[in-house]
Amino acid sequence: MYTILVVDDDQIDRINFKRNLLRNSELGTYDILEASTGRDALKIAEGSNLHCLLLDYHLPDYTGDDFIRAFRENETLKDIPIIIMTGQSDETIAINSLKLGAKDYLTKGDLSDEYFCKTISDCIKQQENLKKIEVSHQQIKFVASHDHLTGLVNRSHFETCTKNALSSSKRHKKSFSVMFLDLDHFKYVNDTFGHDMGDSLLIEVATRLKSNFREEDIIARFGGDEFAVLLPDASQSPLLGKKAEDIINILSAPYKIKGHELNINASIGIACFPESGDTFESLLKSADLAMYIAKLSGKGTYKFHSNEINVEISFRNKIQSELNKAIEYDQLRLLFQTQIDMNSNAIVGLEALLRWDHPDYKQISPLEIIQLAEGSGLIKNIGMWVIQQACLEFKEWQSFEDNNINLLINISTIQLADKMFFSQVDEVVKKHKLNAKNINLEICENAVSDNNTKVMENLSKLKEAGFEVSIDDFGKGGSSLEKLIHLPITALKIDKDFISDLNCMSPLIKCIINLSNNFGLKVMAEGVETESQLEFLKQHGCHIVQGYYYSKPSKICNIKSNY
């Protein structure tokens, strides 16, 4: 049953509205309440579960504008839709009412019974749909920001919290600390007792951690047996050392799980701001390096980050300097992974993936290449090389096959924020005589999270020029659903970690697919490796997939020969 409140000082109008609603209801039975003043209406509304409010604009004690303001200021009433009713058509009143939050504006004399009732039912339906979308959005936000197993926050949300702490600490000249924690011998538990036992152990570890840190401390699980803790306003070494020691002792107490008694230890690395870093990445790296030294020291202990640990950072800097010459020495190359249409089973896309063949350290991981490039300021040069090389090789593909296949290129947020980015990409595409509609630029959620003006300008220009733009690794960034809907994007790619953990993440994946389809966005999934993953995605409406189930990344010439 839907409850409607009719607010009108004219009793005849109230009777007519009530009779029309009861006679022409599209949604079943209405419970119709009445009020003749704004003051009475507010009291009734606060004590009722309203679905819609019909408001006469001219009341004895309120104008329609004043009533809407009072209604919207009430936290419990602000989301209830209001429909304004007046005896005469007045465009100024209509515009003001809608600006203040009214859902619709009707003129009594020009109103048919059928149109009146349809307006009410449509308003209620729209509000219900908005609530469903909001619930789904909140579910996505929670799942995207929390670890599904332990309920702790995940790495992405921990990063957000740490960056907030950095901003606050820099502004107020305060210190804080980060702990990085890794369980010793956890692999033995998994290998000996199975992953179910390992999961139960992780849940118990999370419970002990939550019980032994302050409410303001942020505890996260990064994956596997790695945890991190953000401790605001905590930087004194003796106190932090004592806290780390206490946590190690608490976690080393025996665990009784499923009839077995398990014993593990934990190693902890500690990094303090500003001594050990002034960015999220540098602080986490410092804590991680300190934890690594703690493990080398015999495990079950803790270490503070210090200058001695920076030997590892020096090595990283060496690699970073060599990356500057990677293009000159022809050490970079591209591999391509095919994308498959779920309906036709045909190749519909090729994603370009960067590789670095280092002469001394063999192949360096793509993630590390990007991190090194972004950290050294080389990302624009390397990113442009990727675009140029990908277009060159893709043009050769198009001369071999049809033009219905898309080229997917990953774009860094730094590239997208460059004012010259669009003109450079557009020039490369035209140089190779490619069609913009066949070029899909993949960006991460974080690229659009802060409403960067240059990013938004480039996205708009790309859309106008016909380029496809998709959100990569969707689900990890916690993007606002409302924001995504209004972005010039054409597709979402579900994060591969969600696909690999299908048993736990299937509700989120289904939610992403359903919402994307509702808003006309193409849905892609990466990291598909098994038949069961493929069937699940196909059953729930995913459009395009890629992963080892179909092919590993390879040279484009090898794809041609097997096409």
Side-chain angles (χ1 to χ4, degrees), residues 16-31:
N16 287 334
F17 293 151
K18 185 173 182 179
R19 182 174 62 248
N20 289 339
L21 286 169
L22 293 175
R23 187 170 55 197
N24 298 292
S25 171
E26 292 185 9
L27 300 175
T29 306
Y30 285 136
D31 180 19

Side-chain angles (χ1 to χ4, degrees), residues 384-431:
M384 188 49 58
W385 179 89
V386 170
I387 293 170
Q388 291 170 340
Q389 187 66 22
C391 287
L392 174 64
E393 297 189 40
F394 185 62
K395 182 62 180 178
E396 295 177 2
W397 170 278
Q398 284 200 330
S399 65
F400 172 77
E401 279 300 335
D402 60 59
N403 296 329
N404 293 323
I405 293 177
N406 288 342
L407 170 65
L408 292 90
I409 305 174
N410 291 280
I411 302 299
S412 163
T413 302
I414 295 174
Q415 290 175 268
L416 197 59
D418 184 352
K419 64 180 181 180
M420 299 300 295
F421 176 73
F422 169 75
S423 59
Q424 290 172 340
V425 173
D426 194 47
E427 181 182 347
V428 172
V429 171
K430 289 177 178 176
K431 173 185 174 182

